[in-house]
Structure formats: structure tokens, C-alpha cells
Amino acid sequence: MNSRTNLQSFLTNSLAIRQEIQRFESVHPSIYAIYDLIELIQDQQIAQQIRDHVVCIEARLPLLFLEHDFGSLGFRSHSRKQ
């Protein structure tokens, strides 16, 4: 590869990474809103079950974004369950 191709590849990957970060950050206000709504649930057992599910989703978000878009850049994620 020549330096122009390397630069183009770097810029493409850099843009994709910035877009993933923006998409990931855009989800967080909704997650915080869910936690606020959970606080209104009077049944503590149900509230805790929902909270546990949200925590699992929140922990998985970065991996979902990586699997979704970075796969198109040729990166392989090792996070998928076989």
C-alpha cells in the first residue's frame, strides 16, 4: 500500500470509530431515563429484575456496536458466543 492509501484507510477507520463513540454516547440518556423509571416501581423484586436486565444490556452495548460496524471495516470481534 502506498502512503495515500494508508492515509485514506486511517481516515475511514477514524471516522467510523468517532461515529461509533457518538452512537454509544447517544444511547446513555435513554439508559439513565430507564433507571429513573425503575425507581418509580413499587415492587422491589420486579424493579431489581428490570435493573439487572438493563445492566446486562448496558454492559453489552459497546460489543454490539463493535460487532455491527467494525465488522464492515474488516475487524473481527471475539466477543460473540459460539
Side-chain angles (χ1 to χ4, degrees), residues 2 4-6 8-9 11 13 17-18 22-23 31 36 39 41 43 47 49 57-58 62 70 72-73:
N2 64 32
R4 184 176 178 96
T5 304
N6 286 338
Q8 183 61 40
S9 177
L11 293 174
N13 291 343
I17 291 167
R18 283 194 309 271
Q22 289 172 344
R23 190 169 19 243
I31 291 173
D36 290 341
E39 294 301 317
I41 298 173
D43 185 322
Q49 288 175 349
I57 292 167
E58 190 174 15
F70 286 157
S72 66
L73 295 174

